Each structure stands twice: as C-alpha cells, then as structure tokens.
Amino acid sequence: MKKLIHLLLVLTLFQFTCSTEKTNNQQAAIDTRVNALIKQMTLDEKIGQLIQKNGAAGMDSLVRAGALSSVLNEIDVLAQNQLQRVAMEESRLGIPLIFARDVIHGFNTVLPIPLGQAATWNPDLVKEGAAMSATEARSSGIRWTFSPMIDVTRDPRWGRIAEGYGEDPVLTSAMGVATIKGYQGEELSGKNSMLACAKHFAAYGAAEAGRDYHTVAVPENELRDVYLPPFKAAVEAEAGTFMAAFNEINGIPATGNKFLLSKVLRDEWNFKGFVVSDWESVRQLVVHGYAHDNKDAAYKSFTAGCDMEMASTCYETYLKEMVNSGVVGEELINEAVRDILTIKFKMGLFENPYTNPDDYPAVLNDEHKQLSRNIARESLVLLKNESAVLPLKKDNIRKVAVIGPLADAPHDQLGTWIFDGNKANSTTPLQAIQDYCGKDKVIYAPGMDISRTMNRTGFAKAIDAAKQSDVVLLFIGEESILSGESHCRADISLPGLQEELITEIAKTGKPIVAVVMAGRPLTFEESAKELDAILYAWHPGTMAGPAVADVLFGQESPSGKLPVTFPRTVGQIPIYYAQKNSGKPASDETWERMYEIPPEAFQLSVGNTNHYIDYGFKPWFPFGYGLSYTSFEYSNQKVEKAVYNLGDTIKFSVTVVNTGKTDAKEVVQLYVRDLVGSRTRPVKQLEDFKKVFIAAGDSAEVDFSVPTNSLGFHDQEMNYVTESGDFLAGIGSNSDLELNIQFTIK
Ligand code: GLC
C-alpha cells in the first residue's frame, strides 16, 4: 500500500512539475514573440494597440495603419472577418484585433441577471452558464466580454446592483471566479474561450446615495476589506483584463488612480493582464475636475496604469507628442503594449484570427435553454409561504388567475444589459403556466399595461379573474429598464399602483402567490402582509416561464438565498448583515417604538441604542435568507479544536437533516466573528458556504475548512493581519443566526 501511495505522490509531483514547466515554456515563447514584435513597431503602431473603438464600420484605414487594437459592439461576423483580414493582411505587422461585447448574463440564450445568479449560491452552475455564454458569443465572433461585474454593493437604490453579485465579498468572489473560469476555460486560446474582464475597478458599488457614477469615499482599510477582495480573487483566477471604473475614490477617479491601477493591481497583486477604461472614462477625468484637458487626462490615466482607452480619443491624440517631448517614457508605452500583445498571443488570435460560425453549436439550442432554466430555477428565492400554499397541485386547481403585466413580459423578464437577447425567444410565466395547467384552467388579466402605470382601468378585470379562481398568481415588480446602468431609484417601493392592486385582489379573499420580477430588493412590507406567498424571481432570463412554473408547481423546491439584505424601508439604507456592533447596539428590548413613546417623555439613557424609533434596526429579510418546500434541522454545529495557532486550518462541521417530505437543496452558511480587534470587526462575516442536496428524511454532514489567514483584516497600517484572540462562529440557513461555536486563535 505504502509503495502505491509513494508512486502516486511521485506521479502527482511529476505531473505538477510538467504542467508548471509547460506553462513557463509557453510564457517564455510568448514573451519572445512579443518582444520581437515590439522591436519592429513604430511609436504610432504601439499607440494603436492602446485604442478601442465602437463598431467595425469605417475602421479600415485605421486598422490598415495599425492604429486600432480592439473593436467593441460589432457582432456581424462578416464585418469582423473583413476588418480582421485588413489587420492580418494589409497592415504592416499583421497584429489581430480583439472583438469585444458586454456579454453580462448570457448571449442569445439569456440567463438570470447576475444578482439572480448570485441567489443560486451555486458557483458550479454559474460557471456552466458562463461557459455556455462564451460558446454562444464566440459563434458571433466575440472574443472578449466586459464581465464579470464584481462590484460589492450595499445600496439597492443603485441600478447596477442588478448586474453584480450583492453585498458580500465572499459570495461575490465565488461568483466572479466561477464566471471568469467559465468564460476563459482551461486555455484562453480555447475554441470556446472568451477573455474575461473584472469590472469596475474599484468600489463602484459604494457610490454615495446609490447614485450611479457618484462619489465614493471609503477608508482604505474598508476598501481593502470589503470592495477589493473579489478583484483580488479575479487576479488569482487569472482574469485577462480589468476595467477601470467611472467613479472617483476619495477624490481620485479610478481611471486615473495610480494607487489602484498600479500599486494594488500590479505591484501588490502581480496582475499580468491589461486594463481597459470604461466608456470615455479617460476623457471624463476632465469632467471630474481631475484633469485640465484631454491631454492631461491622457497623461494621468495612462501613467496611472490604464492601458487601453475605450471610445474617447485622448491617447491617440496626445500620447505620441508626450512621448516625443519626453513627458511619457516610451518604455511605459512598451509595457502597456507588451501586456496587450501577451493577451492577444495567449488568446491564439495570431493563429486563429477569424470566426467561422459553423464551428459552433446552434445558439438557443435545447441544452442551452435547459441550462438557463436550471440556473433560473435555483435563482428563485421563496420569501414567504403561509400555510404551505406552495407548491400548487395542478389537479387540485379548477381555475388559476394569472395577474400582472410581468407575467407575460418577454422582454422584461430578460433583465438589464441584454444586448443579444431577444424577447422572441422568451417563454413567459403565463405561457409556461398555460402549458402546464392547460389554457382552460388559466384566466389571465394583466390588470395594468406596465408596472409603472397610474391607470386603474384594468383592475376590474383582474379582480374578476381573481374571484373566478381558486388561487391567484400575482406577478409584480419592476420592468427591466427600472434597474441597470444609470437607472437608480430614490424610492424602491413597488412602482405605480401595484400595492393598490394587491389590496384590491386581497379583498376577494383568494390565496395570493406573488412572483416578484425586479433588478433589486423592493420595499413592500405592508402590502406583503396580504400575500400568502412571495417568490422573488429577479429577472430570470429566456426561460423565466418554465423555471417559475417548475417551482410554483413543485417540480423543484426553491433553493435560492438572498445575496443582498432587503430593507424594510429605503430610509434604512445602507443596511447589511456584516455591520459593526457600535457601542450601543439595538435589541428588541431597547427599540423605543415611535408610537409608544409617552407624551413629553424624557430622553432615556438606558434605551438609547442604534435603532430607528419608526423602523427599528432589523431588515425585512436578512442576507442569505430563503425558504424551501421542506424543512432543514441543523445540529452538532462544532469546531474541531477550541484553540488554534496562526497558520492552522480551522475545521467546522454540522449535521443537517431534511426533516420534511420533499427532496431539496440547502445552502449551508458559515459565519464567523472576531470578537476583539485592533480595529472593530463586523458582528459576523460569511466565511464559506456549501449547497447540498438532501433527500427527504436524509441527513448530511457538512464540513468547512477555514485557514486562520481568512479571518484577517487590514489594520491601521494597512497590513493584512489575523489577530489572536477569541472568535465565535455559527452555521445555519441564513445570516440571522446565533454564533454558538467558540474558538481561540493563539
Ligand atoms: C459602460 C459600462 C460598462 C460597459 C461599457 C461598454 O458604460 O459602465 O460596464 O462594459 O460601457 O459597454
């Protein structure tokens, strides 16, 4: 036996050595080719590699002159191949172009919005979705996507919360890494591989007041502890590119921020890819009031470490003269060109510059649609299910009323940022419910034309449909245009007259199952009291209908968990689980309720805590929350040892029993608290999670291994440290759990 183990070890070591050697040899070969090419390039041709423009039309002369490096938003393969042929055969050095596109959550087969994908808490599934998206995008000649968006945010007013993975660095990192690996595959040169882009670097989701592009002011240690970890994970996952963000951070716009783009990204993290600006974010340094003019913007952005300029023309206009006058060293230009050419060689672009769509499977094929359906199913979060009104049993239903425009909104169910999704390919919930139940059982009454309507004329029909039914499926929420870039809301309640419609339908006394389509958490706690069940669907993509019907009628138990805290009211924002304790934390005992305060009451000292007298201190639903059609019982939460040394790996375990009658998946979550630190620490932080399938009546032993190094933070001197001391941990079904495990790090 020992000999066998020894042999296996030798073989593994040999394999590892070989693969490392192979990678090193590949890199050396690429370095040689890049350096040889740079030696031949003129300054104009070098600067040409730093330029990205929109669309292929009219670009021939630029490409022939070697003055263009990448084209975004050209998806006509013929036009791409024609322009690429100019680059390969008519330019002096034959350097290929990279064709790029925002492939954010699917290409032709649209997946749930990223916030919905985060709600699956299933990185493996998300990775599959990214790989499928890459295959479809590649069939249209897209070699580079501006995704994943890994901006942590704690502000649902911000429209782009829809495009990221929520409030937590660990969940966001897991989803970002899965997406990068899904896009890029094993090799960037793979036939189905697409270059990823970690964006928007950095802290774009911390925009003041949830206003897009707005000011970001975060202390460096919070920046490093909360907003940067997903980007560091992206570097470790070998994301080939980063995108500089629009926003400023503490007064320095990200696109001209040397601390971010050079010190952190390259010096500290050893990032080897290249950085592209956001759309005209180089020129916007002038608008920020950080650059005097476009020439100054070119200088500040390029010398900060932004290699490629998207859309604006500062680099092509001013870099050459700044090199010739010695203001910018040509070696700096060479470094940026080297990073870009290295990626182009790794992508295999020099060997395979063209696209033949026949090399790829048909888009929107059954396999792709099934995968989209599977991801959408796991993205659905069951927030309420009074008296187990769900799952519905088709045979027990004489009539079902489907109400609300979002039940049959093939465009809106696709969500924000779907350049290449087409509503013609959508299956809506109404269609799926009719297919499943039979049209004769379904009464559809939109009640309104769109979610924002202030027009009640459709209410009567909707109420009548409810009266004729045994159960009401009420589709509420936001159209897709109400979230996404520059679509922020100061009031995140249900738009229009939807809450009034809920009240009117509730008067019929029929059970109401609400399905919410939205790009963010919404606040409707009061009217939700009139709902028997709430299934939060985000914007589920092409296969929204079948996925929602699958869960509503019990083909699959919901397993989604909230990737973001749901506030009770917009006034509570920012509200998130990983908050600090403060010196006077609120509790149910100390919450002094506004309408119970006696007249002329005196300011009490004992009850003074960090609550609101009107909305208390808790959210409507906590981070990580989501119900199931079964019930899970947690027991034996424990840690292997009571005392650890720095450098150890801490082992946790828990027993989870499916105590119900339905097979289901559960997301087991591990939270840890560092009780005392040289800086105050959050009351809990997600350290790890595992999604497990447990058959009805079965149990699962779930283990977690956490290196002590994961429990650190950036101290006042910006050193990442794990400090010795006492810790608490808890393992459960969402973040609102007791930390009942104690351990110490010596
Ligand atoms: C934008 C977005 C960015 C996107 C880029 C190209 O304005 O901020 O996320 O990738 O333009 O479309």
Side-chain angles (χ1 to χ4, degrees), residues 375-426:
I375 298 170
R377 271 197 306 224
E378 293 208 22
S379 73
L380 306 178
V381 183
L382 184 60
L383 295 177
K384 183 178 183 182
N385 191 17
E386 293 295 305
S387 53
V389 65
L390 288 177
L392 301 173
K393 292 171 182 52
K394 179 176 70 170
D395 298 341
N396 296 356
I397 295 171
R398 188 181 45 79
K399 286 283 183 192
V400 55
V402 176
I403 295 171
L406 288 167
D408 198 34
H411 169 76
D412 290 302
Q413 70 185 48
L414 298 177
T416 185
W417 275 106
I418 40 107
F419 278 0
D420 303 291
N422 185 326
K423 65 178 184 179
N425 304 311
S426 294

Short mmCIF file of all heavy atoms in Angstrom, two decimals, residues 375-426:
data_model
loop_
_atom_site.label_atom_id
_atom_site.label_comp_id
_atom_site.label_asym_id
_atom_site.label_seq_id
_atom_site.Cartn_x
_atom_site.Cartn_y
_atom_site.Cartn_z
N ILE A 375 -30.55 27.25 -14.03
CA ILE A 375 -29.99 28.37 -13.25
C ILE A 375 -31.13 29.25 -12.75
O ILE A 375 -31.16 29.64 -11.57
CB ILE A 375 -29.01 29.19 -14.11
CG1 ILE A 375 -27.82 28.32 -14.54
CG2 ILE A 375 -28.51 30.42 -13.34
CD1 ILE A 375 -26.92 28.97 -15.58
N ALA A 376 -32.10 29.53 -13.61
CA ALA A 376 -33.24 30.36 -13.19
C ALA A 376 -34.00 29.71 -12.05
O ALA A 376 -34.36 30.35 -11.07
CB ALA A 376 -34.16 30.63 -14.38
N ARG A 377 -34.19 28.41 -12.11
CA ARG A 377 -34.91 27.72 -11.03
C ARG A 377 -34.19 27.94 -9.70
O ARG A 377 -34.78 28.26 -8.69
CB ARG A 377 -34.99 26.22 -11.31
CG ARG A 377 -36.18 25.80 -12.12
CD ARG A 377 -36.44 24.31 -12.04
NE ARG A 377 -35.32 23.47 -12.38
CZ ARG A 377 -35.42 22.39 -13.15
NH1 ARG A 377 -36.59 22.06 -13.68
NH2 ARG A 377 -34.39 21.62 -13.41
N GLU A 378 -32.85 27.77 -9.74
CA GLU A 378 -32.09 27.87 -8.48
C GLU A 378 -31.90 29.32 -8.03
O GLU A 378 -31.45 29.55 -6.91
CB GLU A 378 -30.73 27.18 -8.64
CG GLU A 378 -30.84 25.68 -8.80
CD GLU A 378 -29.61 24.94 -8.29
OE1 GLU A 378 -28.85 25.46 -7.46
OE2 GLU A 378 -29.41 23.80 -8.72
N SER A 379 -32.29 30.27 -8.91
CA SER A 379 -32.15 31.68 -8.52
C SER A 379 -33.37 32.17 -7.74
O SER A 379 -33.32 33.21 -7.10
CB SER A 379 -31.97 32.55 -9.76
OG SER A 379 -33.20 32.66 -10.47
N LEU A 380 -34.47 31.43 -7.82
CA LEU A 380 -35.73 31.89 -7.21
C LEU A 380 -35.65 31.75 -5.70
O LEU A 380 -35.28 30.71 -5.18
CB LEU A 380 -36.89 31.07 -7.77
CG LEU A 380 -37.00 31.02 -9.31
CD1 LEU A 380 -38.16 30.14 -9.74
CD2 LEU A 380 -37.14 32.42 -9.88
N VAL A 381 -36.04 32.83 -5.01
CA VAL A 381 -35.96 32.83 -3.53
C VAL A 381 -37.38 32.90 -2.96
O VAL A 381 -38.14 33.84 -3.22
CB VAL A 381 -35.14 34.03 -3.03
CG1 VAL A 381 -34.99 33.98 -1.51
CG2 VAL A 381 -33.75 34.05 -3.68
N LEU A 382 -37.72 31.87 -2.19
CA LEU A 382 -39.04 31.84 -1.55
C LEU A 382 -38.96 32.62 -0.25
O LEU A 382 -38.27 32.22 0.70
CB LEU A 382 -39.45 30.38 -1.28
CG LEU A 382 -40.84 30.16 -0.70
CD1 LEU A 382 -41.92 30.71 -1.64
CD2 LEU A 382 -41.09 28.68 -0.41
N LEU A 383 -39.64 33.75 -0.20
CA LEU A 383 -39.54 34.64 0.97
C LEU A 383 -40.68 34.41 1.95
O LEU A 383 -40.57 34.73 3.13
CB LEU A 383 -39.54 36.11 0.52
CG LEU A 383 -38.34 36.55 -0.32
CD1 LEU A 383 -38.51 38.01 -0.75
CD2 LEU A 383 -37.04 36.38 0.47
N LYS A 384 -41.79 33.88 1.45
CA LYS A 384 -42.96 33.68 2.33
C LYS A 384 -43.77 32.53 1.75
O LYS A 384 -43.88 32.40 0.52
CB LYS A 384 -43.79 34.97 2.37
CG LYS A 384 -44.99 34.92 3.29
CD LYS A 384 -45.73 36.26 3.30
CE LYS A 384 -46.90 36.26 4.27
NZ LYS A 384 -47.65 37.53 4.25
N ASN A 385 -44.30 31.71 2.65
CA ASN A 385 -45.14 30.60 2.16
C ASN A 385 -46.12 30.20 3.27
O ASN A 385 -46.00 29.13 3.86
CB ASN A 385 -44.27 29.42 1.74
CG ASN A 385 -45.09 28.36 0.99
OD1 ASN A 385 -46.19 28.64 0.53
ND2 ASN A 385 -44.55 27.16 0.90
N GLU A 386 -47.06 31.10 3.55
CA GLU A 386 -48.02 30.88 4.62
C GLU A 386 -48.83 29.61 4.37
O GLU A 386 -49.26 29.36 3.22
CB GLU A 386 -49.01 32.06 4.69
CG GLU A 386 -48.39 33.37 5.13
CD GLU A 386 -47.88 33.33 6.56
OE1 GLU A 386 -48.69 33.00 7.46
OE2 GLU A 386 -46.68 33.57 6.78
N SER A 387 -48.96 28.83 5.41
CA SER A 387 -49.73 27.56 5.36
C SER A 387 -49.45 26.77 4.09
O SER A 387 -50.34 26.22 3.47
CB SER A 387 -51.23 27.84 5.52
OG SER A 387 -51.65 28.81 4.56
N ALA A 388 -48.19 26.80 3.71
CA ALA A 388 -47.70 25.96 2.60
C ALA A 388 -48.63 26.04 1.39
O ALA A 388 -48.98 25.02 0.78
CB ALA A 388 -47.54 24.52 3.06
N VAL A 389 -48.99 27.25 1.07
CA VAL A 389 -49.84 27.42 -0.13
C VAL A 389 -49.09 26.94 -1.37
O VAL A 389 -49.69 26.48 -2.33
CB VAL A 389 -50.27 28.90 -0.27
CG1 VAL A 389 -49.07 29.80 -0.52
CG2 VAL A 389 -51.29 29.05 -1.37
N LEU A 390 -47.77 27.00 -1.31
CA LEU A 390 -46.90 26.44 -2.37
C LEU A 390 -46.28 25.15 -1.83
O LEU A 390 -46.05 25.04 -0.62
CB LEU A 390 -45.79 27.44 -2.72
CG LEU A 390 -46.22 28.69 -3.50
CD1 LEU A 390 -45.02 29.59 -3.71
CD2 LEU A 390 -46.88 28.34 -4.80
N PRO A 391 -45.99 24.18 -2.72
CA PRO A 391 -46.25 24.18 -4.16
C PRO A 391 -47.71 23.94 -4.48
O PRO A 391 -48.42 23.29 -3.71
CB PRO A 391 -45.39 23.02 -4.66
CG PRO A 391 -45.34 22.07 -3.51
CD PRO A 391 -45.33 22.92 -2.28
N LEU A 392 -48.14 24.48 -5.61
CA LEU A 392 -49.52 24.29 -6.08
C LEU A 392 -49.63 22.90 -6.66
O LEU A 392 -48.69 22.36 -7.22
CB LEU A 392 -49.85 25.34 -7.15
CG LEU A 392 -49.72 26.80 -6.73
CD1 LEU A 392 -49.91 27.71 -7.94
CD2 LEU A 392 -50.71 27.14 -5.64
N LYS A 393 -50.82 22.32 -6.51
CA LYS A 393 -51.03 20.99 -7.12
C LYS A 393 -52.05 21.15 -8.26
O LYS A 393 -53.22 21.51 -8.00
CB LYS A 393 -51.52 20.02 -6.07
CG LYS A 393 -50.40 19.74 -5.04
CD LYS A 393 -50.87 18.95 -3.85
CE LYS A 393 -49.71 18.75 -2.86
NZ LYS A 393 -49.04 20.04 -2.50
N LYS A 394 -51.58 20.94 -9.45
CA LYS A 394 -52.38 21.22 -10.65
C LYS A 394 -53.75 20.57 -10.54
O LYS A 394 -54.78 21.17 -10.83
CB LYS A 394 -51.63 20.71 -11.88
CG LYS A 394 -52.35 20.89 -13.18
CD LYS A 394 -51.52 20.46 -14.38
CE LYS A 394 -51.32 18.96 -14.47
NZ LYS A 394 -50.73 18.55 -15.78
N ASP A 395 -53.78 19.34 -10.07
CA ASP A 395 -55.06 18.60 -10.08
C ASP A 395 -56.04 19.14 -9.06
O ASP A 395 -57.23 18.89 -9.14
CB ASP A 395 -54.79 17.11 -9.82
CG ASP A 395 -53.92 16.52 -10.93
OD1 ASP A 395 -53.87 17.16 -12.02
OD2 ASP A 395 -53.25 15.50 -10.71
N ASN A 396 -55.49 19.91 -8.09
CA ASN A 396 -56.41 20.47 -7.09
C ASN A 396 -56.95 21.83 -7.52
O ASN A 396 -57.67 22.48 -6.78
CB ASN A 396 -55.66 20.67 -5.76
CG ASN A 396 -55.22 19.33 -5.19
OD1 ASN A 396 -55.54 18.28 -5.77
ND2 ASN A 396 -54.45 19.37 -4.11
N ILE A 397 -56.52 22.27 -8.70
CA ILE A 397 -56.91 23.62 -9.14
C ILE A 397 -57.94 23.54 -10.25
O ILE A 397 -57.73 22.89 -11.27
CB ILE A 397 -55.66 24.39 -9.65
CG1 ILE A 397 -54.66 24.62 -8.51
CG2 ILE A 397 -56.06 25.73 -10.27
CD1 ILE A 397 -53.34 25.18 -8.98
N ARG A 398 -59.06 24.21 -9.99
CA ARG A 398 -60.10 24.29 -11.04
C ARG A 398 -59.73 25.46 -11.97
O ARG A 398 -59.66 25.33 -13.18
CB ARG A 398 -61.45 24.55 -10.36
CG ARG A 398 -62.69 24.50 -11.22
CD ARG A 398 -63.92 24.79 -10.38
NE ARG A 398 -63.70 25.94 -9.48
CZ ARG A 398 -63.76 27.22 -9.88
NH1 ARG A 398 -63.98 27.50 -11.15
NH2 ARG A 398 -63.57 28.22 -9.05
N LYS A 399 -59.42 26.60 -11.34
CA LYS A 399 -59.07 27.80 -12.12
C LYS A 399 -57.92 28.52 -11.42
O LYS A 399 -57.94 28.64 -10.18
CB LYS A 399 -60.26 28.76 -12.20
CG LYS A 399 -61.39 28.31 -13.13
CD LYS A 399 -61.05 28.54 -14.59
CE LYS A 399 -62.25 28.12 -15.45
NZ LYS A 399 -61.86 28.04 -16.89
N VAL A 400 -56.96 28.98 -12.20
CA VAL A 400 -55.90 29.81 -11.61
C VAL A 400 -55.89 31.16 -12.32
O VAL A 400 -55.94 31.22 -13.56
CB VAL A 400 -54.52 29.12 -11.71
CG1 VAL A 400 -54.17 28.74 -13.12
CG2 VAL A 400 -53.44 30.00 -11.13
N ALA A 401 -55.90 32.23 -11.54
CA ALA A 401 -55.85 33.58 -12.13
C ALA A 401 -54.39 34.00 -12.19
O ALA A 401 -53.69 33.91 -11.17
CB ALA A 401 -56.65 34.56 -11.28
N VAL A 402 -53.95 34.38 -13.37
CA VAL A 402 -52.61 34.95 -13.52
C VAL A 402 -52.79 36.43 -13.78
O VAL A 402 -53.43 36.83 -14.76
CB VAL A 402 -51.85 34.29 -14.69
CG1 VAL A 402 -50.49 34.95 -14.90
CG2 VAL A 402 -51.67 32.79 -14.41
N ILE A 403 -52.25 37.24 -12.85
CA ILE A 403 -52.50 38.68 -12.91
C ILE A 403 -51.17 39.43 -12.88
O ILE A 403 -50.21 39.00 -12.24
CB ILE A 403 -53.38 39.10 -11.71
CG1 ILE A 403 -54.76 38.45 -11.83
CG2 ILE A 403 -53.49 40.62 -11.60
CD1 ILE A 403 -55.63 38.61 -10.60
N GLY A 404 -51.12 40.54 -13.62
CA GLY A 404 -49.93 41.40 -13.62
C GLY A 404 -49.22 41.35 -14.96
O GLY A 404 -49.05 40.26 -15.53
N PRO A 405 -48.78 42.50 -15.46
CA PRO A 405 -48.14 42.55 -16.78
C PRO A 405 -46.83 41.77 -16.85
O PRO A 405 -46.45 41.24 -17.88
CB PRO A 405 -47.91 44.04 -17.00
CG PRO A 405 -47.93 44.65 -15.64
CD PRO A 405 -48.85 43.82 -14.82
N LEU A 406 -46.17 41.61 -15.71
CA LEU A 406 -44.87 40.92 -15.75
C LEU A 406 -45.03 39.41 -15.91
O LEU A 406 -44.05 38.69 -16.07
CB LEU A 406 -44.05 41.27 -14.50
CG LEU A 406 -43.52 42.71 -14.50
CD1 LEU A 406 -43.01 43.11 -13.12
CD2 LEU A 406 -42.42 42.91 -15.54
N ALA A 407 -46.25 38.94 -15.88
CA ALA A 407 -46.48 37.50 -16.13
C ALA A 407 -46.26 37.17 -17.59
O ALA A 407 -46.00 36.02 -17.95
CB ALA A 407 -47.90 37.12 -15.73
N ASP A 408 -46.38 38.18 -18.43
CA ASP A 408 -46.28 37.94 -19.88
C ASP A 408 -45.47 39.06 -20.53
O ASP A 408 -45.95 39.74 -21.42
CB ASP A 408 -47.70 37.86 -20.47
CG ASP A 408 -47.68 37.18 -21.84
OD1 ASP A 408 -46.85 36.26 -22.01
OD2 ASP A 408 -48.46 37.58 -22.73
N ALA A 409 -44.25 39.24 -20.04
CA ALA A 409 -43.38 40.35 -20.48
C ALA A 409 -42.08 39.78 -21.01
O ALA A 409 -41.05 39.76 -20.29
CB ALA A 409 -43.13 41.29 -19.31
N PRO A 410 -42.10 39.26 -22.23
CA PRO A 410 -40.94 38.53 -22.76
C PRO A 410 -39.66 39.35 -22.81
O PRO A 410 -38.57 38.81 -22.67
CB PRO A 410 -41.38 38.11 -24.16
CG PRO A 410 -42.55 38.96 -24.51
CD PRO A 410 -43.21 39.29 -23.21
N HIS A 411 -39.79 40.66 -22.95
CA HIS A 411 -38.57 41.49 -22.94
C HIS A 411 -38.12 41.72 -21.50
O HIS A 411 -36.95 41.49 -21.17
CB HIS A 411 -38.85 42.84 -23.61
CG HIS A 411 -37.74 43.83 -23.39
ND1 HIS A 411 -36.55 43.76 -24.08
CD2 HIS A 411 -37.63 44.87 -22.51
CE1 HIS A 411 -35.74 44.74 -23.64
NE2 HIS A 411 -36.37 45.42 -22.69
N ASP A 412 -39.03 42.11 -20.63
CA ASP A 412 -38.62 42.50 -19.27
C ASP A 412 -38.07 41.34 -18.46
O ASP A 412 -37.21 41.52 -17.61
CB ASP A 412 -39.80 43.15 -18.54
CG ASP A 412 -40.09 44.51 -19.14
OD1 ASP A 412 -39.16 45.34 -19.14
OD2 ASP A 412 -41.20 44.71 -19.66
N GLN A 413 -38.55 40.13 -18.74
CA GLN A 413 -38.04 39.01 -17.93
C GLN A 413 -36.56 38.76 -18.22
O GLN A 413 -35.87 38.09 -17.46
CB GLN A 413 -38.83 37.74 -18.23
CG GLN A 413 -38.62 37.14 -19.58
CD GLN A 413 -39.55 35.95 -19.84
OE1 GLN A 413 -40.76 36.04 -19.61
NE2 GLN A 413 -38.99 34.86 -20.29
N LEU A 414 -36.04 39.32 -19.31
CA LEU A 414 -34.64 39.11 -19.67
C LEU A 414 -33.70 39.92 -18.79
O LEU A 414 -32.54 39.59 -18.62
CB LEU A 414 -34.40 39.45 -21.14
CG LEU A 414 -35.18 38.62 -22.17
CD1 LEU A 414 -34.91 39.11 -23.58
CD2 LEU A 414 -34.85 37.14 -22.02
N GLY A 415 -34.22 41.05 -18.25
CA GLY A 415 -33.38 41.84 -17.35
C GLY A 415 -32.53 42.87 -18.07
O GLY A 415 -32.57 43.01 -19.29
N THR A 416 -31.68 43.55 -17.32
CA THR A 416 -30.85 44.62 -17.85
C THR A 416 -29.64 44.06 -18.59
O THR A 416 -29.29 42.88 -18.42
CB THR A 416 -30.37 45.52 -16.70
OG1 THR A 416 -29.65 46.62 -17.24
CG2 THR A 416 -29.47 44.77 -15.73
N TRP A 417 -29.04 44.90 -19.45
CA TRP A 417 -27.79 44.53 -20.15
C TRP A 417 -27.93 43.26 -20.98
O TRP A 417 -27.17 42.31 -20.85
CB TRP A 417 -26.63 44.35 -19.16
CG TRP A 417 -25.95 45.63 -18.82
CD1 TRP A 417 -26.06 46.32 -17.67
CD2 TRP A 417 -25.09 46.42 -19.66
NE1 TRP A 417 -25.32 47.48 -17.71
CE2 TRP A 417 -24.71 47.56 -18.91
CE3 TRP A 417 -24.59 46.27 -20.95
CZ2 TRP A 417 -23.86 48.55 -19.42
CZ3 TRP A 417 -23.75 47.25 -21.47
CH2 TRP A 417 -23.39 48.38 -20.71
N ILE A 418 -28.97 43.20 -21.81
CA ILE A 418 -29.07 42.01 -22.68
C ILE A 418 -28.97 42.47 -24.12
O ILE A 418 -29.94 42.50 -24.86
CB ILE A 418 -30.40 41.26 -22.48
CG1 ILE A 418 -31.58 42.24 -22.30
CG2 ILE A 418 -30.35 40.33 -21.32
CD1 ILE A 418 -32.48 42.31 -23.46
N PHE A 419 -27.77 42.81 -24.54
CA PHE A 419 -27.57 43.30 -25.91
C PHE A 419 -28.07 42.27 -26.93
O PHE A 419 -28.62 42.62 -27.95
CB PHE A 419 -26.09 43.53 -26.15
CG PHE A 419 -25.58 44.84 -25.64
CD1 PHE A 419 -26.41 45.75 -25.00
CD2 PHE A 419 -24.25 45.19 -25.79
CE1 PHE A 419 -25.94 46.96 -24.53
CE2 PHE A 419 -23.76 46.41 -25.33
CZ PHE A 419 -24.61 47.29 -24.71
N ASP A 420 -27.80 41.00 -26.70
CA ASP A 420 -28.06 39.99 -27.73
C ASP A 420 -29.16 39.03 -27.35
O ASP A 420 -29.29 37.96 -27.93
CB ASP A 420 -26.74 39.26 -28.04
CG ASP A 420 -25.68 40.26 -28.46
OD1 ASP A 420 -25.82 40.83 -29.55
OD2 ASP A 420 -24.78 40.53 -27.64
N GLY A 421 -29.95 39.41 -26.33
CA GLY A 421 -31.13 38.60 -26.01
C GLY A 421 -32.27 39.11 -26.86
O GLY A 421 -32.29 40.27 -27.25
N ASN A 422 -33.21 38.23 -27.16
CA ASN A 422 -34.33 38.65 -27.99
C ASN A 422 -35.61 38.12 -27.38
O ASN A 422 -35.73 36.90 -27.13
CB ASN A 422 -34.17 38.10 -29.42
CG ASN A 422 -35.25 38.62 -30.34
OD1 ASN A 422 -36.41 38.82 -29.89
ND2 ASN A 422 -34.91 38.87 -31.58
N LYS A 423 -36.56 39.02 -27.14
CA LYS A 423 -37.80 38.61 -26.47
C LYS A 423 -38.55 37.53 -27.24
O LYS A 423 -39.32 36.76 -26.67
CB LYS A 423 -38.70 39.81 -26.24
CG LYS A 423 -39.23 40.47 -27.51
CD LYS A 423 -40.14 41.62 -27.17
CE LYS A 423 -40.76 42.21 -28.43
NZ LYS A 423 -41.68 43.34 -28.11
N ALA A 424 -38.25 37.45 -28.55
CA ALA A 424 -38.96 36.43 -29.35
C ALA A 424 -38.62 35.02 -28.88
O ALA A 424 -39.37 34.08 -29.12
CB ALA A 424 -38.58 36.59 -30.82
N ASN A 425 -37.50 34.89 -28.20
CA ASN A 425 -37.07 33.56 -27.73
C ASN A 425 -37.53 33.27 -26.31
O ASN A 425 -37.28 32.18 -25.78
CB ASN A 425 -35.55 33.45 -27.80
CG ASN A 425 -35.02 33.73 -29.20
OD1 ASN A 425 -35.53 33.18 -30.16
ND2 ASN A 425 -34.05 34.64 -29.32
N SER A 426 -38.16 34.25 -25.67
CA SER A 426 -38.56 34.07 -24.27
C SER A 426 -39.78 33.17 -24.16
O SER A 426 -40.69 33.22 -24.99
CB SER A 426 -38.92 35.43 -23.66
OG SER A 426 -37.78 36.24 -23.58
#
